[in-house]
Amino acid sequence: MGAETRRQIEEGRAAAAALMRGGRTGLAGFRHPALPLSWIAFDAEVRDTHSPWRPGPRAADPIEIRLCHPDGRVREAALAVPRAPLPLVVIRCADWAPAVRERARQVLAGALAADPAHTLIDLTPLVLRLARREQGTWARDLFEGALRGDPVPAPWWRPARPARPGQWWRPARAARTMTGEEPDTVLAWLRRSGDLPTRRFATRLTLDSGLFGVRELARRAGEERDPATALVWADAALAALAADGPDDEAVDSLLRGHIPMVRAGGVTALRGAGRAAEAADHLADRSGLVRACARWLVRQDGGDPHALCRALVEDPDRVTPYAVAGFAECARHADAPLLRALLERSGQGSGALRAAAVAGLRALDADDAELLRPLLDDPSPAVAREASLSLAPPAGQLPVAWLTARIAPGLPLHTRRAAYRVLHARGGIDALRASVELLTDPDPGLRRVAAQRVQSLWSPGRPPALPLGDPEVGALLDRCTGLFGEYVMGRMRSQLGIPRAPHDAIG
């Protein structure tokens, strides 16, 4: 469960609790929930905490409580009240009681007929969440039918102004509408929604209607930031290109996309557009997927992607971290000296180049522990991290004292983290010694990671990977008893053949 989901659920629960305590809605009281998961949590909280047998007339309860009441007869009667909160009406459309469900559906259908624009814009996110329930598809089908029919004008407080083309004596003027599109419709508004399920739902309906041509499809794919929605637009644009023939403007829009899958589609579309020679321009893309598509297209066009990538890395003016990563993806073991030479680069921005070179050497299985050891002290955090990842497999070859000295509090934080990663990779008592030492470290991140790694020693099915009967292991365990319960600590000591001892709990 993400942080935003938790926030919405807590908002709904808090609103329900305030209302159950006799609070008021409006400016002088609590606010109604505003987001779909908040309304669902509100309904669940009232239903779970409200007692149907409590004294007092049920009609005296607020309408929100009656709409969520555990007694179906109370919920059905509440739906007859004018101006009932529509989000709760939508929830009752998926109610398990048929009488409540049918009455709520009548109310929702009436609200949609009376004010389709606001009803669709306000309730579509909630309707889509409830469609997962057994009786929840009815409202989604109702809204989908309304959106598939005649365009519903978007609500707007002033008349829309159409776009005006530019002339030599006056500049062009964009349309002034709620969505920036013409015609200004609810479906266009939903395509711009910040709620991702709503945006994807509106995108699917738009594609089914065949509203846009290939250029508009490609433009929307390139501008979209949601990966799932962008992929839907891109697939539609590529299908249109395959059916109607190449379009350079559409291909360029795909190549400028924010999402790697969109740019990869644009690279593959270069072949159909007769522009395969441009694939070389994308060999250093920031996405490995796009780089792989570019190498494929270079080979299809008769070129050598390895030679082109090597030329990029050898040119000081054109080499970038992504060019180094692309070269490593198609390099051979004989290319390792070129990557090692990049480790000597210095100057502004050189840290990313050195980090990419270390990662490339690791991909080629051309690591040299003695060459990479000094990089743990590199001033660039990215280089130190990549060096620690490369030094983890041969960690047993490195001096323990040299690594332990680099987790001391006086050194840069990224150096200490990198050294600790290598020490942990050694395993055994060396890893435990380093983890226990960091349990009281000033840095909270290191303390948290060290505690998690100490706790990972416990397994009910096997003993910890530590020396048996070693007094030092017992002393180290004595310093971290606060991370385990008494039973678990006793089991670990028994598995290791270490007698019980008084504990000095920390952490």
Side-chain angles (χ1 to χ4, degrees), residues 46 81 156 164 189 257 334 471 474 494 507:
V46 173
V81 176
W156 190 231
R164 182 181 68 189
W189 172 265
S494 175

Side-chain angles (χ1 to χ4, degrees), residues 280-414:
D281 299 335
H282 304 277
L283 291 172
D285 190 89
R286 60 185 181 273
S287 166
L289 174 65
V290 180
R291 295 194 296 266
C293 290
R295 292 194 297 271
W296 168 82
L297 186 53
V298 168
R299 285 191 293 268
Q300 294 296 313
D301 196 42
D304 182 4
H306 174 266
L308 294 175
C309 291
R310 185 180 179 94
L312 284 175
V313 174
E314 291 175 336
D315 188 345
D317 296 328
R318 293 193 298 162
V319 63
T320 65
Y322 298 118
V324 176
F327 174 60
E329 290 164 355
C330 63
R332 310 177 182 101
H333 202 273
D335 296 314
L338 178 58
L339 292 175
R340 292 193 185 100
L342 293 175
L343 299 180
E344 306 298 327
R345 292 289 293 266
S346 60
Q348 185 177 5
S350 61
L353 282 176
R354 296 197 303 276
V358 175
L361 289 171
R362 185 169 65 249
L364 292 178
D365 197 19
D367 296 334
D368 184 345
E370 291 303 317
L371 176 67
L372 298 179
R373 260 182 65 179
L375 297 182
L376 287 180
D377 298 320
D378 195 277
S380 170
V383 176
R385 179 182 182 277
E386 293 294 342
S388 67
L389 293 175
S390 297
L391 290 172
Q397 305 173 15
L398 303 179
V400 176
W402 183 84
L403 290 171
T404 304
R406 274 152 183 77
I407 64 172
L411 294 174
L413 181 58
H414 66 270

